[in-house]
Amino acid sequence: MVDIEQPKKKAAGVPAVLSSFKFGLREMGPARTGKVFAKMNQDGGFDCPSCAWPDPDHKRKHAAEFCENGAKAVAWEATRKRVPRSFFAENSIDDLFRISEYELGKLGRITEPLLLRAGADHYEPVGWDEAFDVVARHLRALDSPDDAVFYTSGRTSNEAAFLYQLLVRAYGTNNLPDCSNMCHESSGTALTRVIGSGKGAVTLEMLEEAELIVVVGQNPGTNAPRMLSHLEVAKKHGADIVSVNPLPEPGLMNFKNPQRPSGWVGKGTALADQHLQIRIGGDQALFLAVGHLLLEAEAAAPGTVLDKEFLERHTSGYELYAKHNAELDWPAVELATGLSRAEIEQFTQRFLKSKATVICWAMGLTQHREAVATITEIVNVLLLQGNIGKPGAGPCPVRGHSNVQGDRSMGIWEKMPESFLERLDNEFAFTAPREHGVDATATVQRLREGSVRVFFAMGGNFAMATPDTAVVHQGLRACDLTVQVSTKLNRSHTVTGREALILPTLGRTDHDHTAAGPQSVTVEDSQGAVHLSTGNLVPPAPDLLSEVQIVCALAQRLVPDVGEIPWSDFAKDYSLIRQRIGRTCDGYENFEDRLRANEGGFLLAHAARDHREFKTSDAKAQFSVNDLTWLPTEPGRLLLQTMRSHDQFNTTIYGLEDRYRGVHGTRDVVFVNPADLDELGLRDGQLVDIVSEFAGVERRAPGFRLVSYPTARGCVAAYYPETNVLMSADDVAKESNTPVAKGLTVRLEPAAS
Ligand SMILES: Nc1nc2c(c(=O)[nH]1)N[C@H]1C(S)=C(S)[C@@H](COP(=O)(O)OP(=O)(O)OC[C@H]3O[C@@H](n4cnc5c(=O)[nH]c(N)nc54)[C@H](O)[C@@H]3O)O[C@H]1N2
Ligand SMILES: Nc1nc2c(c(=O)[nH]1)N[C@H]1C(S)=C(S)[C@@H](COP(=O)(O)OP(=O)(O)OC[C@H]3O[C@@H](n4cnc5c(=O)[nH]c(N)nc54)[C@H](O)[C@@H]3O)O[C@H]1N2
Ligand SMILES: [Mo]
């Protein structure tokens, strides 16, 4: 039943704990639930497959180190349900395509390889040998290895990712798009240029020592719930917390920590001291203004605001930046941000007061046309006060998938630097291709042209996560072969090439036992900590292969003679893979030894964070000069952001509840400010089509229910992936090429009844 109520004022607390257990019991039953929750994020256990928020160190660890949404992710994977063989005999591909993403996910784990033969309309079970032969046959038949594309989603372990990129490069292409292209690519692009590393420069400990924490364009209560416990600690130490968001996200407004008894009975902590209800796309203007005010304050009281010593020793471009930012067009800033000058001045006062500032961000910043400029504007503000490479300070992009950062460290990137490729060549006695490959956006464009012949996906749900849904589907259907390595069914399994394969695989929670004994894998979290993950559940079927074994088996058929690569040894003993990672990947030197010496986990070095050493073009942290950019709209038009509900993991839909926002039983809603509803002559509860406008082309998502909601004026929100049909593959962030998923120009049309 559809039910819309007032948004919640508090996040987590007892309802969150109950919700975890209810979902856990439904999917796993009592015995498995106990076994799983006892081992999650604990030493010797497995890493939660949900978000990339770090596990605390020993000092900070609680007995139950997980959150409601991590529990859902695990229960979803560790479910006792299995897709029965009869299901594929009974349902044709067309039937499968009509089943919702939510229902597909509920069917359970896949237990055997499935093949859709050319001309057939049903998947049928097939042996592993034949499955690998099919893939190898297709790949060998291509005119060029560049006619194939190899996608990765961010759950893939370091070991599997390293071998996967090795296989793809041994085969002869750099076509390695990944989910990161749609996620934090803008952060990586910006930070690499200005501080010399694409990774965040704040550890958990540093975060807890901050005096000011600004959370921009992120909804941690839903998407990184364990972050709230650390914000709460910082708050107890006296930190100011500010949320910059068009929505009043409940986790930041009031939090009841479910990991401590006080969170079960108390009133909760109001985490955010200030909420800046920013207009979508206004962040670059906001941080430009903060920088301007900081410079003004320094001019008024020289020597009191800026960290002059840091500026002189460690930065470049300050003079140009200061000159450029001496004047500010306040009316433009107010239009761009939807904020008053007084609010921005109050916000800036907090910077003036703070001796250690952290700025965190996620998709609310990265998925914009001007994302890279916006992130460099944030770094400008941090640099002014020397807020990097010291306790309690720094830029903190909060990554999405649990190992998306590790996958990049392992070489999943279409343009890895020459230094990495050279080490790879030397290590394995072959020559990796040098020509850059395609990223996710370029893959969509190539699918549109019909020039992809084989599409191989290591996890993920490419058919739903990408823009221009219909175009992507058409391109996938035009492939000779599509291959999905997956734990569970999703839409991508139903959008098939002339031939198609589903290769089931082990998940994080599954016990991985090879001829050499039990194996563990490793992951790298958002703050650069690497640790072991060991599954403890009986896998859904006895002959399921791990991702590592799938890559090795395919490599032995496809590239047996390329270089000197001991694929069969790697498939048995994952520590042999880690030895090679240790000789190839930046920061992973002596990998296996360090893991053993540090109880299975250690922090990667980060030159900027640890030593204020900046590996940029001039060995300095660089100020950037950006003109003010924003997203003006015509009358009758609104800015749409596409976002996650509390009951999904990206394209995986756990249920139809967005508890904190008060939406129950449906996902087809669009949140609109009541004053905008009035102005547009629309009313709460009415059905509308969302129509996007980009470069003269209209795209339509029909039948969304209007929800009157306290979002910023002129800004509306709806869930992803239902709204991906509104995105264009040509609408991308400058430099990072990330599809624009926030800040689409739309209008709302009453639905034809
Ligand atoms: N439970 C759960 N956890 C997850 C995921 C999941 O789907 N479910 N996904 C994982 C992944 S891959 C990722 S990348 C992360 C995503 O984590 P988030 O980035 O938190 O994800 P979104 O739901 O896209 O939320 C975007 C936030 O930015 C705000 N916003 C939108 N536009 C703007 C803007 O222009 N300016 C500002 N300042 N704010 C804006 C939105 O209101 C919203 O609060 O979470 C990870 N963790
Ligand atoms: N409109 C819009 N589009 C977006 C976004 C947005 O905010 N708005 N966000 C973007 C972001 S941040 C991201 S990260 C992408 C996500 O894009 P993807 O990473 O491609 O999508 P997911 O939904 O995370 O993938 C889920 C699937 O992964 C498979 N899977 C789960 N666990 C495992 C495993 O252990 N091994 C293997 N092999 N498979 C597994 C399951 O089959 C599951 O259905 O979407 C992007 N698209
Ligand atoms: Mo992501």
Side-chain angles (χ1 to χ4, degrees):
M1 205 194 72
V2 176
D3 176 26
I4 315 281
E5 46 165 22
Q6 287 294 312
K8 291 278 176 296
K9 299 248 162 21
K10 294 188 179 66
V14 177
V17 176
L18 289 180
S19 169
S20 327
F21 279 94
K22 219 165 70 191
F23 193 81
L25 288 172
R26 187 181 91 198
E27 293 293 318
M28 301 187 288
R32 258 168 116 80
T33 302
K35 206 168 167 183
V36 158
F37 287 176
K39 280 290 179 195
M40 196 157 157
N41 293 336
Q42 299 292 329
D43 292 344
F46 62 91
D47 178 68
C48 175
S50 192
C51 74
W53 189 255
D55 294 344
D57 54 24
H58 293 280
K59 212 165 67 198
R60 269 167 271 272
K61 206 179 276 275
H62 295 279
E65 193 51 62
F66 60 85
C67 68
E68 175 189 1
N69 281 341
K72 282 189 209 158
V74 162
W76 181 84
E77 176 181 300
T79 179
R80 286 181 303 183
K81 296 185 197 134
R82 308 286 174 256
V83 187
R85 197 174 249 201
S86 57
F87 178 76
F88 296 100
E90 286 158 11
N91 291 285
S92 70
I93 287 292
D94 289 345
D95 297 333
L96 295 182
F97 185 71
R98 281 193 291 269
I99 302 176
S100 75
E101 199 74 48
Y102 172 49
E103 296 294 332
L104 284 173
K106 278 206 308 197
L107 289 166
R109 290 284 295 271
I110 329 163
T111 56
E112 56 188 348
L114 295 152
L115 174 63
L116 178 74
R117 294 183 195 277
D121 52 13
H122 288 255
Y123 274 111
E124 60 184 88
V126 64
W128 282 105
D129 282 331
E130 187 179 351
F132 291 127
D133 286 343
V134 170
V135 186
R137 169 166 55 79
H138 274 278
L139 288 173
R140 269 209 220 91
L142 298 182
D143 292 339
S144 153
D146 293 331
D147 293 342
V149 170
F150 299 85
Y151 177 67
T152 312
S153 172
R155 264 190 204 174
T156 296
S157 67
N158 284 336
E159 289 74 2
F162 182 74
L163 292 190
Y164 183 52
Q165 62 81 31
L166 181 60
L167 161 69
V168 171
R169 294 194 162 104
Y171 169 63
T173 179
N174 280 312
N175 282 348
L176 283 159
D178 72 336
C179 67
S180 183
N181 300 146
M182 301 181 269
C183 186
H184 266 292
E185 201 65 62
S186 305
S187 308
T189 305
L191 293 178
T192 304
R193 182 170 78 224
V194 299
I195 65 161
S197 164
K199 299 179 183 181
V202 177
T203 63
L204 278 186
E205 196 167 11
M206 291 165 81
L207 182 73
E208 290 182 358
E209 290 165 338
E211 294 182 16
L212 171 62
I213 302 172
V214 187
V215 182
V216 196
Q218 191 200 351
N219 178 19
T222 286
N223 297 318
R226 288 181 302 118
M227 177 175 172
L228 298 183
S229 314
H230 300 279
L231 291 180
E232 194 189 30
V233 174
K235 176 118 204 151
K236 289 244 155 71
H237 294 170
D240 261 6
I241 299 178
V242 180
S243 161
V244 181
N245 202 309
L247 298 178
E249 302 287 26
L252 287 169
M253 308 313 273
N254 198 338
F255 169 59
K256 297 183 82 180
N257 191 336
Q259 266 138 20
R260 281 186 297 96
S262 64
W264 291 55
V265 288
K267 283 214 306 279
T269 316
L271 285 180
D273 299 279
Q274 188 182 4
H275 174 216
L276 290 172
Q277 186 155 36
I278 197 161
R279 188 172 186 275
I280 290 176
D283 304 271
Q284 194 246 334
L286 172 66
F287 285 95
L288 198 64
V290 172
H292 170 80
L293 290 172
L294 291 176
L295 292 171
E296 259 188 16
E298 172 73 17
T304 60
V305 176
L306 305 186
D307 184 339
K308 279 277 166 55
E309 199 207 319
F310 175 81
L311 290 178
E312 269 156 38
R313 273 184 63 182
H314 296 292
T315 69
S316 65
Y318 167 73
E319 299 297 334
L320 267 183
Y321 166 80
K323 193 162 155 242
H324 174 78
N325 209 2
E327 302 291 324
L328 190 70
D329 181 351
W330 274 108
V333 168
E334 288 183 324
L335 276 177
T337 58
L339 302 170
S340 68
R341 182 168 176 167
E343 279 177 290
I344 299 175
E345 283 170 352
Q346 193 197 349
F347 179 45
T348 309
Q349 283 301 321
R350 299 178 192 278
F351 282 82
L352 290 169
K353 221 176 67 192
S354 163
K355 287 190 282 302
T357 299
V358 168
I359 304 183
C360 305
W361 71 86
M363 297 305 101
L365 282 197
T366 63
Q367 296 175 331
H368 278 286
R369 255 157 252 141
E370 297 290 345
V372 174
T374 303
I375 293 162
T376 63
E377 209 60 74
I378 283 184
V379 173
N380 286 342
V381 166
L382 289 172
L383 294 181
L384 284 176
Q385 296 182 291
N387 277 315
I388 184 164
K390 69 176 190 190
C396 182
V398 179
R399 305 276 156 184
H401 270 289
S402 54
N403 197 42
V404 63
Q405 190 163 313
D407 290 346
R408 184 58 60 85
S409 302
M410 294 300 110
I412 302 290
W413 199 21
E414 75 282 357
K415 46 182 183 200
M416 282 304 281
E418 179 60 26
S419 54
F420 173 86
L421 297 174
E422 247 168 49
R423 286 195 297 266
L424 202 64
D425 289 352
N426 293 337
E427 188 61 35
F428 297 105
F430 80 116
T431 306
R434 293 309 200 260
E435 197 184 324
H436 289 175
V438 289
D439 62 6
T441 297
T443 299
V444 172
Q445 288 158 348
R446 289 222 5 218
L447 284 167
R448 184 169 64 190
E449 293 163 10
S451 69
V452 178
R453 306 263 41 96
V454 175
F455 180 87
F456 189 108
M458 185 58 83
N461 190 358
F462 194 84
M464 291 310 282
T466 41
D468 262 340
T469 312
V471 166
V472 170
H473 288 193
Q474 197 183 357
L476 288 169
R477 289 193 172 110
C479 290
D480 297 335
L481 175 73
T482 49
V483 185
Q484 302 285 335
V485 179
S486 317
T487 49
K488 285 179 107 179
L489 288 181
N490 62 42
R491 177 72 66 243
S492 292
H493 304 101
T494 73
V495 183
T496 52
R498 204 165 44 79
E499 289 197 85
L501 271 165
I502 301 174
L503 303 179
T505 191
L506 298 178
R508 279 284 163 76
T509 51
D510 296 316
H511 190 60
D512 185 357
H513 206 111
T514 69
Q519 301 298 317
S520 302
V521 294
T522 56
V523 292
E524 174 184 333
D525 67 35
S526 195
Q527 295 174 350
V530 181
H531 56 89
L532 278 171
S533 173
T534 315
N536 68 341
L537 294 179
V538 178
D543 58 354
L544 271 198
L545 300 182
S546 67
E547 291 180 347
V548 165
Q549 291 168 318
I550 289 174
V551 171
C552 292
L554 179 58
Q556 284 172 287
R557 280 168 179 80
L558 184 65
V559 289
D561 305 320
V562 177
E564 290 161 22
I565 313 179
W567 296 108
S568 67
D569 296 340
F570 285 158
K572 283 193 261 256
D573 182 352
Y574 300 177
S575 70
L576 300 176
I577 311 170
R578 286 190 285 274
Q579 284 172 12
R580 303 303 189 104
I581 293 172
R583 293 206 286 264
T584 322
C585 300
D586 276 335
Y588 280 77
E589 297 76 18
N590 303 317
F591 188 15
E592 185 66 6
D593 297 342
R594 275 155 86 198
L595 271 183
R596 286 183 199 287
N598 293 287
E599 296 176 49
F602 60 87
L603 190 65
L604 294 172
H606 187 300
R609 179 195 67 205
D610 303 340
H611 312 291
R612 291 188 156 180
E613 229 178 75
F614 300 95
K615 297 183 173 173
T616 57
S617 53
D618 60 1
K620 305 270 188 200
Q622 298 180 353
F623 276 92
S624 314
V625 171
N626 307 301
D627 288 326
L628 190 152
T629 63
W630 66 299
L631 301 172
T633 42
E634 303 281 317
R637 303 297 184 274
L638 300 154
L639 293 173
L640 169 74
Q641 60 146 323
T642 62
M643 60 173 188
R644 292 148 176 83
S645 82
H646 194 63
D647 219 6
Q648 72 184 86
F649 189 92
N650 297 339
T651 68
T652 297
I653 312 301
Y654 301 130
L656 305 178
E657 305 292 302
D658 196 4
R659 202 172 71 239
Y660 296 159
R661 298 195 186 107
V663 173
H664 305 279
T666 179
R667 290 177 50 82
D668 294 333
V669 294
V670 51
F671 299 94
V672 190
N673 184 293
D676 286 322
L677 283 180
D678 277 352
E679 205 173 282
L680 294 167
L682 298 167
R683 60 185 158 71
D684 181 60
Q686 193 178 347
L687 278 189
V688 294
D689 293 355
I690 312 176
V691 184
S692 69
E693 302 169 357
F694 177 75
V697 180
E698 292 193 350
R699 292 176 170 78
R700 184 175 295 262
F704 284 71
R705 184 189 166 122
L706 292 172
V707 175
S708 171
Y709 199 83
T711 167
R713 278 302 301 272
C715 300
V716 301
Y719 302 129
Y720 133 75
E722 287 83 348
T723 45
N724 286 41
V725 292
L726 297 169
M727 295 162 64
S728 160
D730 297 318
D731 189 10
V732 293
K734 288 185 194 147
E735 293 181 75
S736 65
N737 219 21
T738 294
V740 168
K742 314 278 197 270
L744 282 73
T745 302
V746 298
R747 58 175 204 269
L748 303 174
E749 284 187 357
S753 51

